Amino acid sequence: MDISTVTDVIRNPPAVPGPVWRPGDAWLAGGTWLFSDAQPDLRRLIDLAPLGWNSLEVTADGLDVGAMCTIGDLYALITPAEWAAAPLLRTSCEAFLASFKVWNSATVGGNICMALPAGPMITMTVALEATYELWSTTGSERTVDAVDFVTGNHSTVLRPGELLRSIHIPDSALRKRHAHRRFTLTKMGRSTIFMVGTQSQGTDDLTLVLTAATTHPIRLTFDTMPSADAVADAVDAIGDDLWFDDPNGSPGHRKHLARHYAEEIRTELSTGAHR
């Protein structure tokens, strides 16, 4: 849709664009959400596309993803055979449930910064222990863990004008065994819950990441494979105020699914099965 309040678009920002930001600005990535609704507070758009932050680089340290990388490009990535958790990249793209036009416009960074509980790029990066590189309006940089970035529904640690530059997924996480469960009310619906379990190769540890069911990602870690009761207790210990409530599921329904899927994933990774 047209955003009638916007009076200017910065088409070619500097390589370090932060200093040109001012109140009333918005960083323009894929724009799939930005142009879907009225934005009455916006006066300028700063187009990040010319900066070329769309790279995908496989290195000895893992995977580096430019914030402007599209969902379609991530889905098409050919990964090293030793990355046992690499299928989760495609699984998370498929959870996007969008048309090919959206896949080829929407960006990994944009989905993360939207901070919706059901954002599948959030699920993917938290489950794979990613870190985010953030750039401020002064040009300074900081790195935050993916699990700490989203603080609530449509809420993040981003400061005014700060932007997400890139995502790093470590090689150690990509080599982990994994299992996942996801529930939607309809076949093509938004996630009611998206849970991922990971386990280091040759160990019996367990990490469970819970998204979509809660207002921000929850990570549960166990040094050794926990009992069914221990997993259930960990889910029960999640505060009542953290369970998300919307038309896709009530807090009680989401908590029930979390207990059920956590036990399924625990059992699967206990027996050595792959999903």
Side-chain angles (χ1 to χ4, degrees):
M1 66 177 295
D2 292 334
I3 307 178
S4 59
T5 58
V6 170
T7 59
D8 194 12
V9 179
I10 307 300
R11 294 290 187 184
N12 292 288
V16 179
V20 305
W21 185 91
R22 65 193 188 198
D25 286 354
W27 302 113
L28 175 60
T32 54
W33 175 80
L34 189 65
F35 291 113
S36 72
D37 200 0
Q39 310 290 345
D41 296 328
L42 294 189
R43 299 296 178 267
R44 292 197 314 173
L45 300 179
I46 304 174
D47 188 1
L48 299 178
L51 299 179
W53 295 352
N54 57 349
S55 60
L56 276 168
E57 186 177 3
V58 175
T59 72
D61 294 328
L63 177 63
D64 292 316
V65 184
M68 294 288 289
C69 172
T70 66
I71 305 303
D73 284 345
L74 179 64
Y75 186 82
L77 177 68
I78 298 174
T79 55
E82 60 269 22
W83 285 0
L88 184 59
L89 303 179
R90 286 197 166 194
T91 296
S92 299
C93 291
E94 290 165 352
F96 216 87
L97 296 177
S99 71
F100 75 92
K101 290 189 292 185
V102 172
W103 267 38
N104 290 316
S105 297
T107 63
V108 174
N111 186 249
I112 291 170
C113 291
M114 272 294 296
L116 298 176
M121 298 296 99
I122 298 169
T123 309
M124 177 190 75
T125 53
V126 173
L128 293 178
E129 303 168 22
T131 54
Y132 301 156
E133 181 181 320
L134 309 182
W135 286 9
S136 76
T137 55
T138 63
S140 63
E141 303 173 11
R142 64 178 176 132
T143 300
V144 300
D145 289 336
V147 70
D148 298 322
F149 182 78
V150 176
T151 57
N153 180 27
H154 206 47
S155 175
T156 72
V157 299
L158 285 172
R159 298 160 184 163
E162 196 171 31
L163 52 79
L164 171 60
R165 169 61 181 88
S166 62
I167 301 102
H168 174 71
I169 302 176
D171 176 78
S172 57
L174 287 160
R175 290 175 180 267
K176 288 188 174 186
R177 300 174 57 231
H178 77 287
H180 76 275
R181 297 293 188 274
R182 179 171 169 266
F183 178 87
T184 61
L185 290 177
T186 62
K187 183 178 179 180
M188 301 297 287
R190 177 176 287 188
S191 298
T192 298
I193 182 173
F194 194 170
M195 180 177 281
V196 179
T198 59
Q199 184 181 66
S200 302
Q201 296 282 356
T203 76
D204 66 345
D205 65 1
L206 177 66
T207 299
L208 293 172
V209 167
L210 174 62
T211 60
T214 49
T215 56
H216 64 73
I218 301 292
R219 178 185 287 164
L220 306 174
T221 59
F222 306 88
D223 293 334
T224 58
M225 187 57 65
S227 66
D229 287 343
V231 168
D233 288 344
V235 173
D236 288 343
I238 297 172
D240 291 342
D241 59 326
L242 295 181
W243 296 100
F244 194 47
D245 187 6
D246 75 349
N248 296 289
S250 67
H253 177 52
R254 286 177 151 114
K255 185 173 184 177
H256 167 77
L257 289 172
R259 286 174 57 100
H260 178 73
Y261 287 153
E263 175 56 19
E264 284 194 350
I265 290 173
R266 186 196 73 86
T267 301
E268 182 173 329
L269 292 179
S270 294
T271 58
H274 264 311
R275 186 176 179 84

